[in-house]
Structure formats: structure tokens, C-alpha cells
Amino acid sequence: MPTKILIFDTTLRDGEQSPGASLTVSEKLLIAKQLAKLGVDVIEAGFPISSEGDFESVKLIAEQVKGPIICALARTLPEDIDRAWEAVKDAEKPRIHTFVATSQIHITQKLRKTKEEVIKLAVDGVARAKSYCKDVEFSPEDAARTDIDYMCEVVRAAIKAGATTINIPDTVGYAEPEEYGGRIKALLEKVPEAKNIVVSVHCHDDLGNAAANSLAGVRNGATQVECTINGIGERAGNASLEEVAMNLKVRKDFFKDFFTEIKTEEIFNTSRMVSELTGLVVQRNKAIVGQNAFAHEAGIHQHGVLSGKQVYEIMDAASVGWRGDNLVLGKHSGKHAVEAVLKEMGYELDKEKVEIVIGKIKALADKKKEVMKEDIVAIAADVVGELKGEEKSVELVEFTISTGNKIKPNAHVTLLINGEKKSGEAKGVGPVDAISNAITSLIEQPIRLKEYGLKAITGGTDALADVSISVEDNSGNVFKANAVNEDIVMASAMALIKGLNRALNFRVKGGKEI
Ligand code: KIV
Ligand code: ZN
């Protein structure tokens, strides 16, 4: 009988730790619902002690998303574990995942503890989590750089304290496939009791080995893989879910003893949604989900493909949900067509938001010949990330720009700041720079634009502009935002104002990050 490999998705936790990838509560809920549709077994929804927002989103996902286990991360500290339980306790299937670092470098330089003290932290953390929840995962952080005998000692103690899953992270993406696979094999030999629970792999991609290491772990006895959509995550990211799932599926001959329950036809939509909502663009040549992954479908290598599909194609584009169709709406297509696209792409929105999307699509259709599926997704993502009325301390009233090849671009802007109208003017190297300077000149708090990215959703000069920005406050907190509009300057102004509002709300709430 082949063994089921559990897919533990950590897009909303480790993935969200990607620089610049912060998501709002509604964005996280939408992604979690799509992950459930994709068929993942576990959703690691967040790290509740890290911020109010993380707590709130884990709680909401636990209450609303059915099917997968909903997991919350916690250090081994009592307050972390209590907060994690508070967040997941209403899930259909809750899990607490607790971790403590075990490599010598982490123990001495980060924790400043003895090895015995670390074992005690692990045991106490697992036992406390177990007192709340029967499903407890334990990770010796930086396991791949931990002395194997010490790692086994910690794991043995964690299992004795009640852990039902043991995860072996390659926290810094240092391992090589044979070495990492060997570590899993050694663990199962040295700690035979681990055979009665789930052994999990968690690999980072600093050397580009994350998927290969995870698969080596599976071939050596691991039955859970921790991964993220599009491989997003800290630094170079985590193992990519789509790469792991498609290796196991496409190379069934090689991985004949294993299977996953991922509905691979949902991969493309999920990838698209995560990219749109995080603002992290998928590189064109990314395996499985990059724009070029099925380029032969769009013309390249057509000769070879025409002479026989398998000449260049090792998997069917449809098996990952890549349809290659984009055109949907003309001026006269209606509401149902928009609703159908939203449903197909996993944008399960409430009625009010669907109406807003439809209104925006109609307005766009009046200006543009054709509205594409991609436009609808970009607008829906924008609407999901829209701030509530009370969260908008800054609103755009109007702006004008003058630009040309003989003048320095100049922007004049009027904002409503906490109900009071304020106007300002600034120049810039281009119109986007000018409007950005004019807006920030009116904000008293020291918040600066840190990153700016622009993507045209479809081809053509009438394409929607999708602007992603991040702003930074003087304590180093970074807030991202994006906005779409057919006018680049307008999209830029809207994204910047959204980012400023996020930064200002964080100050008001006295936000806390760890
Ligand atoms: O990479 C890592 O070590 C982690 C742990 C918290 C599991 O993400
Ligand atoms: Zn990690």
C-alpha cells in the first residue's frame, strides 16, 4: 500500500515572513479557503503571539475553514502556547506547533542556554501544548545543523512529553539531499518510537535544495512535508508545494510508494492568488507555475510539441490547472460572467465585495475594449485588501500632475487627513515620484516609501497598472500595499495611501512584533 504524504502548508506563517509579504486578515482567510480547496492536510495559519493581526487571522481561519488541520506556531514559552491555543481552539481539527532551537550556534549565540535547559524547554512546551490539544507538533529549530545524537535526545524527550509530529527543519537551507535524507533515516533508526508518529520535513531554499531535500526526506521515511505556495518564505523561501506535489505525481515511477491528496488542478489558481495578494511576483521560469513553464502551449517549441506532445512536455498543463485562456468579458458581458470567474479563481467574497468588484469591472469595461480574467483577479485582490472606513485616516480627494519633456514633473494633491483637508505640492523625477513626494509631504509622521513595483496586468497601453509598494516607519516596521487602476499615477497614489494608512493604524493600535 502506498503511503500518504501529508502536505503541511505554511504559506500563511513561514511564507508570510517573506520580506514584504504581509497579508491582511481577509487576505489570509481567502488564501486559507483556497488551500482547503487545494486539498492540503494542514494549514499553519500563523504565529499568534507575534501580533494582534496574526492572532486574529489564525482565530478566524480556525473558526471558518473546514477540512484541513489548522495549526498555530508557538515558541516553547507558556505565554506563546496559551496564545496559540486561544487562537486555534475552535478549529474542527486544531494543532499547536512548538519549537526551540537545538543547534550549538543557536543555543549559545541566540538562546544563551545549556543543552539540558533546551531539553527542558522542549519538554515543558510540548507538555503544556498537550494539556490543551491532542495534536502537538514539535520542531528542533536548525535541526539540520544540530549534532545528530543531541537532536535525537531532544526528539525522544519531546515524543515522551506527548508530541504527535516531529518536524526536522533545515532552517537555514544548508543541507544537501543525501545528507538530509540520511538525517531522517538516522532519526528513525535511533529513535524507533518516532515510527509511531509523524516525521515531518521543513526545508529552506538558500542553496536551491528545498524541494530536493524534502523529497529525500520522504524517501527516507518522512510522511509530512512542510511547504509554501510558490516557495515563498524567509530569505530564499521554503520548499515549494507545487514542486513537491508534482514530483510525487509526475514521477510516480520513482516515488511509487507515496501519494498526496493535493488536487493539482487547483495549483495554478492558488499560485496566482498568493502572488496577487502578497505582491510577490512569480519568476517567469519558475517550475510548475511560472509563465514560461508551459510556454510551448503558447508557441515556443511548437514544432517539437506538434510532432508529439511528450517531445517537450512531461506534464499536462491542465493537470496543474493552467488553462491558457485569458479573455473573458466584452462591454456587454454581465455580472454572472464576473461571478463565474471569481468562483473559478477561488475568490469566495461576500456579496458586498462581489458588488464592488462588479462595479469596478463595469467601469473598466467602459474605458477598455476587453476585460481579461487577469484584470478581474487583480481587481478582486485589490478589493479584498481594501481598508475599512475607520482604518482610513488618510484619503485622496484630488490630484493634478503636470509633466512633459521640457518641465520637471509637478504634482498638486489634496488629502483628507483625519477629516481635515490638506493640500501640498512637490516635484519629482517623473510623475509617480512627484505624486509620491506630494503625498508624503503632507504626512507628519516619519514614514517613508521603501519599495515600489509596477506590473501591467495584460498587454497594451490600456492595461491595468498593478502597483505594489512598501512603506517603513521610523521603528523599522514595514507595511505593504497594492492597488490597481488603469492610470499608473492613480494606482501609485492609491497604493501609497493604503500603505500609509496601514502604518498609521499600526501606530494607533500600538502594534507589537517579535
Ligand atoms: O525554519 C524553521 O526552523 C521554522 C520553524 C519554526 C519550524 O520555520
Ligand atoms: Zn521555516
Side-chain angles (χ1 to χ4, degrees), residues 13-14 73 97 99 139 141-142 167 169 171 202 204:
R13 200 278 299 168
D14 224 350
L73 185 71
H97 175 191
F99 71 100
S139 293
E141 189 191 6
D142 203 17
N167 179 45
T171 304
H202 178 114
H204 281 266

Side-chain angles (χ1 to χ4, degrees), residues 7 25 49 66 76 82 85-86 141 156 165 167 188 231 234-235 304 319 323 327 448 489 504-505:
I7 298 294
V25 173
I49 193 87
K66 305 293 167 206
T76 50
D82 296 355
W85 176 242
E86 195 50 38
E141 189 191 6
R156 221 173 273 122
T165 296
N167 179 45
L188 287 159
E234 284 216 85
R235 306 179 311 277
S319 70
R323 288 180 197 83
L327 180 64
R448 65 173 192 101
V489 181
L504 294 169
N505 288 336

Side-chain angles (χ1 to χ4, degrees), residues 30-31 33-35 37-38 229-230 242 263-277 282 288-289 317-325 340-347 373-374 377 381:
L30 195 67
I31 292 177
K33 287 185 177 165
Q34 177 60 27
L35 290 171
K37 203 164 158 197
L38 176 66
I229 300 296
N230 300 335
E242 59 277 9
K263 296 178 188 69
T264 60
E265 299 74 18
E266 287 296 330
I267 284 179
F268 197 73
N269 283 351
T270 318
S271 159
R272 190 74 191 73
M273 177 186 281
V274 168
S275 166
E276 196 59 55
L277 296 177
V282 176
I288 321 291
V289 291
S319 70
V320 296
W322 194 93
R323 288 180 197 83
D325 60 329
V341 173
L342 291 178
K343 187 157 182 250
E344 179 199 327
M345 304 301 282
Y347 282 79
K373 192 189 269 180
E374 301 270 304
V377 169

Side-chain angles (χ1 to χ4, degrees), residues 84 99 122 157 190 277 281 313 510 513:
F99 71 100
K190 289 173 188 265
L277 296 177
V281 177
E313 201 173 278
E513 297 281 344

